[in-house]
Amino acid sequence: MEHVPPPAEELALLDHELARLDARRSQLLVRRAWLVSVLAQPAVRPAVPPFTAPSGPPAPVRSSVPFAAPFGSPAAPAGPRSAQNVLLTLGGLLLAIAAIAFTLVSWGQMGIGGRSAVLTAVTVAALCAPAVLLRRGLPSTAESLAALASVLMVLDAYALHGVAVPEAGGPGFAAVASAVLAVLWGAYGLLLGRLRLPLPLAVVTAQLPLLLWAWSAGAGATVFGWALLATAALDCAIAVWGKGVAVRVTACVCCWATGLPGLLVGLGQSVSADSVSGAVAPGLLLLAGAAVAVAGAWRAPAGLAVAAGAVAGLSGVAAVGGVPGAGVAWGWSVPLYLLCGVVLLAAVRVPLPRPIGKGLLWASSAVTAGSVLAAVPPVGLSLAGTVSQAARVWAGVPEGGVRGASGTEAMAWSAMASAPVVLLAVAALSGAAYRSWASWLRVAGPVVAPRTAWRGAAGADAVALGWAGFTALPAVLGLSYAAAVSVQAVLVVGVFAVAVRELRRGSNGVGQTALVCGLLGAVSVGMLSLATETATYAVFTVLLVVFGAAAVVLGGAGVPAARALPRLPAAQAARAAGVLRMAQAVPACGAVVCGMVLARAVGASWGLAGYRAAPVMLVVTLVTVLLGARLRGRPSALPVELTGAVAGVVAVGMAVPDRPFLALVLSLCGVLAAGTAVRAERRPVAGYLATALFVLAAWLRLSASGVSAPEAYTLPVTVPALAVGVLRRHRDPEASSWTAYGAGLAATLLPSLFAAWADPYWVRPLLLGAAALVITLAGARLRLQALLLLGGAVLALDAVHELAPYVVQVVGALPRWLPPAFAGVLLLVVGATYEQRLRDARRLKDTLGRMR
């Protein structure tokens, strides 16, 4: 290889270029240092020639030129004002330290007069110094000395208590002292308006007097609440009319810190009151708190105004609802609070600022949500209690009515009697908003701007809460078992009617909610009906009809929602189509499940043993196969067939205790799978499934008959099957070897393998191994995947069976550490050649994939 230019010349060029770059970097660093020094002294700006980049080689750097001033040159000397500030600050701090040291060291040697004189002198000096310092333009030093003066004033108050009035009580004297200090610091801050510390400190100190006074007087909780509320009112006034941002922010924080505990005290007293008269005083406290909140929110920023409006609304509801609520049981006080919360909705028509009205609406919503949460437990008990009937199927009508059926007789239902009232009332309000949405928009327009999704949420709430209220009603009223089952069944019918109607209209949110509630109600009433035979037949027949009707109506070709999908945006249309498919499939699957329960009930009514009732269960699978053919192309077709397949699995599980009957059930399942495989879209799965079921049924039948030589029965099937496979491959060379030979080979190899594993002699395993070896070699030679894999698997398992006793003997004779050591070495070898093994595995996979 030749260098152009020569290496020596190229090296010289590189050295010259590197030297030029180093010189350029030095110039830029020097220029930067000079610019930093100029910015540090803006008053002095010496004229310098403009900075231009040199075009030729770098000139030598000269320190006499400002551009080339050495890096890190000293800045201009500090001005006289800066030096004066530093000196005065240090002097003030040293004076304060000296005064404190003198007080600490010499205090015990001085009398009362001397002590008072020292404290007074130091405090007066500290209070007067900031005024002088502010006139001299030293605000930072003045702030420091003002803070020191504040501390000294607290010490003066403590000394005054210990020397002048030692007999005064601590909390009472602290209340007076804090009030005086708050006034003094406020006056001091107003006098020296440039100080930022005294006024916020006065606001913070003003939080203490009333609380300390209540403490010293040994007042009760209500008095403490009034003290907190009065302090919060003072803070609110300061936050509205105070001077300076710092004062207003401090007062606002203090207002929330004192007002909320005061309202909580009133709420606790109102809730715990045992009579109407006892709830009046806490109610007045809560109303006063609401008034303070509204007054503060009137001139507050938007966010704080909304929060204050919410607090005012909650306080008003607690005050008004707590008075009559104290005269009734706690369960019935919830509807009273709910009524007050509903009345609070009238705030949308009151001429209040919009943020306050929005806060009141939030308060009303919070009260409504809290009332609903308080009414939820009876619903949960009613739903979960029905599960206990699964352990008492057809045990007869339970004692204690529906409460006995759900195992909740010991529950305090009297305390939950108001739950249905609350749920149904809120459901009625939500339903009214859903039906009259345009009117509600006109009314609430000045306060809130409702979104379109809110209407769907209101409708969904109405459906869910109405269903929950009627679900809890039988247990709350203590109805009889028959009445409760009837009410729950009628409720399921009504909810499904709502679901179908709303889904047909395209109201997906309401329709989905109704569909979910209907499913939960169907499960609940279905479990409840298991107590008696008659109730089981009646309820599941009704459910079968309801589910079937819903599936038919929703699956109709004329569903308006389906016709409206093309007019929707793409994403919304996709979601609506998914909801519609789900709505069509769920009731259809529910009808199949009801059919399964009825089939099992028929078998039990006929007195059939579990395994003998399995064919009855297969009737459900047969119906789903026929329905699948009828519903071809519909969204509900595949879910219905899969649910029917579950019924077939249940039938197989029922027949497991009796092998001959199990073989019969598997044969019937194979017939149904073969019937399904007639349809082209189900053939790839159903065809293989039918073959496997027939073969498995044949094996079980032979095993149940005590046949010890299954080859006599399987070879007559294998030979013609392989002949048919050869003809198939001859006509269609691209046909898979599994399709042509898989079923025929498995019909003999697999039963023979099971028989060989149970055979104590050597003839059968030898013959089976020889046949499997021939099949394996033929598969490798002819490149047929089915022959290679089936023959290889059978050969390997047969060899394992024959060699297992000898392997066990050898392993027993070896030291115990040798097998783990061998396994470790094997893992190390595989790990060291992992990439090669991975490539080998990929090649093997590709080779198998290329086979037919």
Side-chain angles (χ1 to χ4, degrees):
M1 178 177 178
E2 297 182 358
H3 289 274
V4 181
E9 184 177 351
E10 183 178 359
L11 180 61
L13 290 174
L14 290 176
D15 291 339
H16 178 73
E17 189 67 19
L18 290 173
R20 184 174 180 278
L21 290 175
D22 290 339
R24 178 63 174 163
R25 183 174 184 276
S26 300
Q27 287 180 348
L28 293 176
L29 288 174
V30 171
R31 179 67 177 180
R32 180 183 180 279
W34 183 81
L35 290 173
V36 170
S37 65
V38 170
L39 292 175
Q41 186 183 1
V44 182
R45 295 184 180 273
V48 294
F51 173 70
T52 56
S55 57
V61 179
R62 299 177 180 176
S63 59
S64 59
V65 184
F67 170 75
F71 179 76
S73 56
R81 180 67 65 182
S82 301
Q84 184 181 16
N85 287 338
V86 172
L87 291 175
L88 286 176
T89 302
L90 291 176
L93 290 176
L94 290 175
L95 179 61
I97 293 172
I100 294 173
F102 172 79
T103 303
L104 293 176
V105 173
S106 303
W107 186 261
Q109 302 175 0
M110 301 176 66
I112 296 178
R115 297 175 185 178
S116 302
V118 170
L119 280 176
T120 303
V122 174
T123 304
V124 171
L127 289 173
C128 295
V132 178
L133 294 174
L134 288 175
R135 286 198 299 268
R136 300 294 298 273
L138 301 172
S140 299
T141 307
E143 291 286 354
S144 301
L145 289 180
L148 177 61
S150 302
V151 175
L152 290 175
M153 292 176 72
V154 176
L155 293 176
D156 288 337
Y158 178 74
L160 181 62
H161 175 261
V163 175
V165 284
E167 68 281 357
F173 182 84
V176 176
S178 59
V180 173
L181 288 177
V183 173
L184 291 177
W185 281 332
Y188 187 69
L190 293 175
L191 183 62
L192 301 179
R194 294 174 60 186
L195 292 178
R196 291 173 295 180
L197 179 63
L199 288 178
L201 185 59
V203 173
V204 174
T205 309
Q207 312 306 306
L208 303 176
L210 292 178
L211 288 177
L212 293 174
W213 168 79
W215 181 16
S216 64
T222 305
V223 176
F224 268 98
W226 280 106
L228 288 168
L229 187 59
T231 305
L234 176 63
D235 294 331
C236 182
I238 297 174
V240 173
W241 291 291
K243 179 182 179 182
V245 176
V247 175
R248 293 186 177 185
V249 171
T250 305
C252 183
V253 172
C254 292
C255 180
W256 286 98
T258 55
L260 290 180
L263 293 176
L264 290 177
V265 170
L267 178 62
Q269 293 292 311
S270 177
V271 171
S272 61
D274 54 0
S275 62
V276 174
S277 59
V280 172
L284 294 176
L285 174 61
L286 292 170
L287 287 177
V292 171
V294 171
W298 207 278
R299 296 184 57 181
L304 289 175
V306 172
V311 170
L314 293 174
S315 301
V317 170
V320 178
V323 174
V328 297
W330 165 247
W332 287 103
S333 64
V334 176
L336 297 176
Y337 287 113
L338 176 62
L339 179 59
C340 296
V342 172
V343 173
L344 195 61
L345 291 174
V348 297
R349 306 303 297 170
V350 178
L352 292 172
R354 182 170 182 172
I356 300 178
K358 187 180 296 186
L360 294 176
L361 287 182
W362 278 111
S364 177
S365 302
V367 172
T368 304
S371 303
V372 170
L373 290 177
V376 165
V379 182
L381 291 174
S382 300
L383 292 176
T386 57
V387 181
S388 62
Q389 277 300 320
R392 303 189 300 270
V393 177
W394 291 3
V397 178
E399 297 180 0
V402 66
R403 296 179 183 176
S406 58
T408 58
E409 308 97 316
M411 297 295 175
W413 287 102
S414 59
M416 297 181 284
S418 64
V421 177
V422 172
L423 294 173
L424 294 177
V426 178
L429 292 173
S430 300
Y434 177 73
R435 299 290 296 178
S436 306
W437 186 250
S439 301
W440 198 88
L441 286 179
R442 288 193 299 271
V443 173
V447 177
V448 293
R451 302 175 185 176
T452 305
W454 290 14
R455 183 172 187 264
D461 289 343
V463 172
L465 296 177
W467 168 79
F470 283 113
T471 299
L473 192 59
V476 171
L477 297 179
L479 298 181
S480 64
Y481 174 77
V485 171
S486 302
V487 170
Q488 297 285 7
V490 172
L491 179 60
V492 171
V493 174
V495 172
F496 265 100
V498 174
V500 171
R501 184 189 64 183
E502 295 298 328
L503 287 171
R504 285 176 60 86
R505 292 180 176 178
S507 302
N508 288 340
V510 180
Q512 284 178 285
T513 304
L515 188 61
V516 172
C517 293
L519 292 175
L520 292 176
V523 172
S524 176
V525 71
M527 299 296 293
L528 191 64
S529 68
L530 296 178
T532 64
E533 182 178 359
T534 305
T536 301
Y537 280 111
V539 168
F540 278 97
T541 301
V542 171
L543 292 179
L544 177 61
V545 173
V546 171
F547 280 123
V552 170
V553 174
L554 291 175
V559 176
R563 295 199 300 267
L565 292 181
R567 298 194 297 270
L568 298 175
Q572 188 176 354
R575 289 194 298 270
V579 171
L580 189 59
R581 287 193 295 269
M582 180 271 296
Q584 294 172 3
V586 169
C589 296
V592 176
V593 173
C594 292
M596 293 168 59
V597 176
L598 288 174
R600 184 67 186 93
V602 168
S605 297
W606 289 349
L608 300 176
Y611 67 91
R612 292 187 178 276
V616 181
M617 183 66 66
L618 287 179
V619 174
V620 179
T621 307
L622 173 62
V623 173
T624 58
V625 170
L626 299 177
L627 283 176
R630 177 68 178 83
L631 299 173
R632 181 179 301 181
R634 300 285 182 86
S636 57
L638 181 60
V640 166
E641 292 180 79
L642 292 177
T643 311
V646 172
V649 173
V650 172
V652 171
M654 293 169 60
V656 166
D658 187 87
R659 282 192 295 173
F661 225 89
L662 179 59
L664 172 63
V665 172
L666 287 173
S667 300
L668 294 176
C669 290
V671 171
L672 295 175
T676 305
V678 173
R679 296 156 50 196
E681 70 274 10
R682 300 287 187 259
R683 188 171 302 149
V685 176
Y688 289 113
L689 180 61
T691 302
L693 289 172
F694 281 133
V695 172
L696 184 57
W699 296 344
L700 283 173
R701 182 65 262 183
L702 295 176
S703 174
S705 301
V707 174
S708 59
E711 293 82 4
Y713 300 91
T714 57
L715 283 175
V717 176
T718 296
V719 172
L722 293 178
V724 173
V726 170
L727 292 176
R728 171 71 185 275
R729 291 275 298 173
H730 179 72
R731 293 181 179 180
D732 183 13
E734 297 298 325
S736 172
S737 61
W738 291 100
T739 304
Y741 309 118
L745 290 174
T748 294
L749 288 178
L750 297 182
S752 298
L753 180 62
F754 282 108
W757 271 64
D759 195 339
Y761 304 103
W762 59 273
V763 177
R764 186 191 301 275
L766 178 61
L767 295 177
L768 178 62
L773 178 60
V774 172
I775 293 172
T776 303
L777 294 177
R781 177 68 180 83
L782 300 176
R783 303 183 63 80
L784 297 176
Q785 190 180 98
L787 275 67
L788 179 63
L789 294 182
L790 274 175
V794 172
L795 179 61
L797 292 174
D798 186 64
V800 168
H801 174 263
E802 292 302 305
L803 296 177
Y806 304 102
V807 172
V808 170
Q809 292 178 5
V810 172
V811 172
L814 292 175
R816 294 188 176 183
W817 57 267
L818 192 58
F822 176 75
V825 172
L826 180 62
L827 290 177
L828 288 176
V829 172
V830 173
T833 59
Y834 175 75
E835 295 295 336
Q836 181 62 35
R837 302 287 79 77
L838 196 60
R839 287 193 293 271
D840 294 343
R842 291 197 185 101
R843 277 198 296 270
L844 178 61
K845 176 185 175 182
D846 295 339
T847 302
L848 290 175
R850 287 192 293 270
M851 292 184 177
R852 299 303 303 170

